[in-house]
Amino acid sequence: MQRHVVVVGGGISGLAAAYHLRASGAEVSVLEASAQIGGILRVSDLAGLPVDEGAESLLNRRPEAVELAREIGLGDDIVYPAGVTAGVWSRGAIRPLPPHTVMGVPSRPEELTGLLDDAEIARIGDDRTMPGLPLAHDVAIGRLVAERMGPAVAERLVEPLLGGVYAGHAEELSLQATVPALAAAVGKEASLLDAVETVQNQASAAPGTPVFAGIRGGVGRLAQAVATASGASIQTRTTVRAIAPAAGAKWRLETGPAPFAEVMTADAVVLAVPPSPAARLLDRVVPDAARELRQVEQASVAIVSLAVPRSAFPQIPESSGFLVPPVEGRTIKAVTFSSVKWPWLAELAGDIVVLRASVGRHRQAGELQRSDDEIVDGVLADLADAVGLAGRPVEARVTRWGGGLPQYAVGHVERMDRVRAAVANVPGLAVCGAAYEGVGIAACVALARTAADSVLADLNSTAGEPGPAS
C-alpha cells in the first residue's frame, strides 16, 4: 500500500524531502503557509533581467545541491562564477580579500598589509606563544580570534565574512557550527595559525574545483524545478496549526483558521520549517525538542537589487563584490556585482550593471523598518563612497527576508543533536531545514534527504504507533 507523507514547509528543504520521498514511491503532500514555494529561493524580473532575490549560488565543493540540479534536468544550465576576486571595504578603500584565510582567519599575516596596520599584523604572531590550544570545547569564533590574533582581525575580516553568511555577530557565533573544519583543527593544533594552515592543506586536495556554482537564469529556478520533478501535491497559503499522533499509526494535521480548521491524515510527517514554527508544532508531541528550538534566534535581512547604467560608474567593477566590516558603520554589509560575477548575466545585461547589497544583521531589525526608498538611498550613498557610483538606478528592488537566517550560537551543534535525537524517538516524524546542519542550499538538501530516509525507514518498520516522546 502506498504511504502518504505530509511535508510541512515548501522551501528548498521541504521540496527536496518531497522529491526523495516521491522517488521512493510515497504519496507526498507539501503544505506551504506563504503564497509561493521556494523559501529564500526566488528569481524575478529586474529591468528585464532574471535576478535572484535570495540565495544566488550553490556550494559546488559539497555535491548535494548540484547533483540534485542535474537529476531534475538543470544540468545544462549549471554555470560557474567568473575568475574574479572579492574585496573588503575598510578604512576608506576596497582592498583585496586575503587569499589564505578560513572564514577570515588568516594563516599568512603578511598578506594583510593595507587591510591592517603594522601593529595589528604583528599582534597576530602572538598566537604562537599563547597557551590554551588545543581546545576541547565550543567557543564563539570572534572571541577566539580576537583573543589570539587581536581584535582587528576579528573586526575587519571574520565579522564581515560571517556577517555575509549568517547576518550575525562573530563574538556570538559558534566556531563548531559555522566552521567545523577549523573547530576540528583547533582541537588538535597548538596555535590558531597552525589550525588554519591545516584546514587549507585539506582544502587543497581539490585544486581547480570551483567553490561555487550557479544556474543560468537564476538559482531561484531550482525550487520550482524540484517541485515539478517531485510530482508531489503542493498547497500554498496553507498554515499547519497543529500535528498529533492518531489511531492506526497515523498522524493528524490541522490546517486553516481555528474556526474553520481542516484535518488531514498522514502516515508520516516531515517538518521543514524554521525553528519558531517547528517549536510550536512540536510542543505537545516532542516537548524537549520544542524547548531547544525556541532557543534558536533568527536574523532578518534585506537584499537590495539594483540595475545601474554602466555610465554611472567611473570605472566598471572588475571584482565579484566586497564585504563591509560592521565597525565601518555603513548601511551595507556586502555587495555583489552580479553581472560581473556571473558571465551568463553579463551577456544579457549589456550596458546595465546588476548588483545586490545585503542590509541588516541579527538584532538590528530597525534598519529594515525604513521604507524601500530610504533603504535604497542608504545603499546608493554607500556605493557612491565605495566605488564612486553616480546617479540613480534604472530599477531598484528591496526584498525583505524576515527571520530568514538562524543564528548558530555557541553550543548550537549539541542543541540540534538533542532536537534530532528527541524527534527520532517518535516514529514517522522528522525535521530538516537551515537551522540544523548549515544554512547553505547543499546542506539543506542533504539533511532533507536524511529526514526523508528516516520516515521511510519508519514506514518500512514494524515498530509501534507514534506517540509523544518520553
Side-chain angles (χ1 to χ4, degrees):
M1 182 180 70
Q2 190 178 42
R3 301 299 185 94
H4 179 215
V5 182
V6 172
V7 177
V8 183
I12 189 58
S13 294
L15 296 172
Y19 174 81
H20 185 58
L21 288 162
R22 285 282 295 154
S24 299
E27 177 189 354
V28 181
S29 299
V30 177
L31 307 181
E32 166 58 38
S34 69
Q36 63 187 68
I37 60 172
I40 63 167
L41 295 188
R42 185 192 305 168
V43 63
S44 60
D45 181 275
L46 181 75
L49 301 167
V51 176
D52 282 303
E53 295 190 50
E56 50 93 47
S57 64
L58 312 172
L59 185 59
N60 188 51
R61 289 186 178 172
R62 178 167 182 168
E64 293 90 350
V66 173
E67 287 180 352
L68 178 61
R70 294 188 190 281
E71 284 181 27
I72 62 173
L74 293 178
D76 290 342
D77 288 333
I78 293 175
V79 293
Y80 302 100
V84 292
T85 58
V88 180
W89 187 22
S90 181
R91 292 169 172 161
I94 297 177
R95 309 173 193 278
L97 191 64
H100 295 94
T101 68
V102 173
M103 196 57 80
V105 188
S107 63
R108 302 182 186 182
E110 66 274 11
E111 293 180 344
L112 308 184
T113 300
L115 186 60
L116 305 185
D117 64 31
D118 290 345
E120 291 166 341
I121 293 173
R123 169 67 177 82
I124 297 172
D126 293 348
D127 169 58
R128 294 198 188 278
T129 65
M130 296 176 66
L133 293 184
L135 199 63
H137 54 86
D138 192 19
V139 296
I141 180 172
R143 292 180 183 271
L144 177 68
V145 173
E147 177 184 327
R148 300 197 66 89
M149 295 184 167
V153 177
E155 292 175 349
R156 298 193 176 273
L157 278 169
V158 179
E159 277 282 8
L161 278 157
L162 279 173
V165 177
Y166 298 94
H169 305 279
E171 64 179 11
E172 299 174 5
L173 291 170
S174 158
L175 171 65
Q176 189 179 25
T178 60
V179 200
L182 183 58
V186 164
K188 299 176 182 176
E189 303 292 347
S191 76
L192 188 52
L193 285 164
D194 289 339
V196 175
E197 189 170 353
T198 295
V199 175
Q200 290 171 335
N201 289 338
Q202 294 169 348
S204 66
T209 302
V211 177
F212 297 104
I215 296 175
R216 189 183 306 276
V219 165
R221 294 178 57 202
L222 181 65
Q224 185 58 59
V226 173
T228 301
S230 74
S233 170
I234 297 176
Q235 300 179 35
T236 57
R237 303 182 189 273
T238 304
T239 299
V240 178
R241 298 178 57 251
I243 64 171
K250 296 279 188 178
W251 286 87
R252 181 179 186 274
L253 299 92
E254 291 185 10
T255 66
F260 310 102
E262 298 180 7
V263 175
M264 176 182 291
T265 60
D267 297 294
V269 176
V270 175
L271 297 183
V273 291
S276 180
R280 175 176 56 80
L281 293 172
L282 291 172
D283 202 25
R284 294 185 178 181
V285 182
V286 198
D288 289 346
R291 190 162 42 249
E292 297 283 5
L293 285 167
R294 288 195 183 93
Q295 303 303 310
V296 181
E297 298 183 12
Q298 300 278 123
S300 298
V301 298
I303 301 296
V304 181
S305 303
L306 304 174
V308 181
R310 292 169 65 94
S311 59
F313 291 89
Q315 181 176 343
I316 300 301
E318 296 181 351
S319 74
S320 62
F322 58 90
L323 302 168
V324 186
V327 71
E328 293 292 323
R330 296 289 182 167
T331 296
I332 55 180
K333 72 173 190 282
V335 170
T336 301
F337 297 117
S338 302
S339 57
V340 176
K341 180 177 180 179
W342 300 106
W344 70 265
L345 185 55
E347 294 173 7
L348 296 177
D351 290 332
I352 295 293
V353 175
V354 177
L355 60 92
R356 48 188 266 154
S358 300
V359 176
R361 284 179 182 270
H362 184 217
R363 292 195 297 273
Q364 294 178 359
E367 293 186 21
L368 307 185
Q369 293 173 359
R370 296 177 291 166
S371 69
D372 285 3
D373 288 344
E374 289 173 321
I375 291 176
V376 169
D377 286 345
V379 169
L380 291 174
D382 283 351
L383 289 169
D385 290 344
V387 296
L389 183 69
R392 304 291 299 183
V394 173
E395 188 173 344
R397 178 179 69 209
V398 178
T399 306
R400 289 172 168 80
W401 297 106
L405 287 169
Q407 297 301 289
Y408 286 13
V410 174
H412 184 83
V413 171
E414 290 81 3
R415 173 171 286 121
M416 293 302 100
D417 284 346
R418 292 193 293 270
V419 169
R420 293 174 64 191
V423 171
N425 286 328
V426 183
L429 180 66
V431 293
C432 60
Y436 299 93
E437 291 187 354
V439 298
I441 298 171
C444 289
V445 169
L447 186 56
R449 180 166 187 149
T450 298
D453 284 341
S454 174
V455 296
L456 287 169
D458 289 340
L459 293 176
N460 291 328
S461 169
T462 57
E465 298 184 2
S470 58

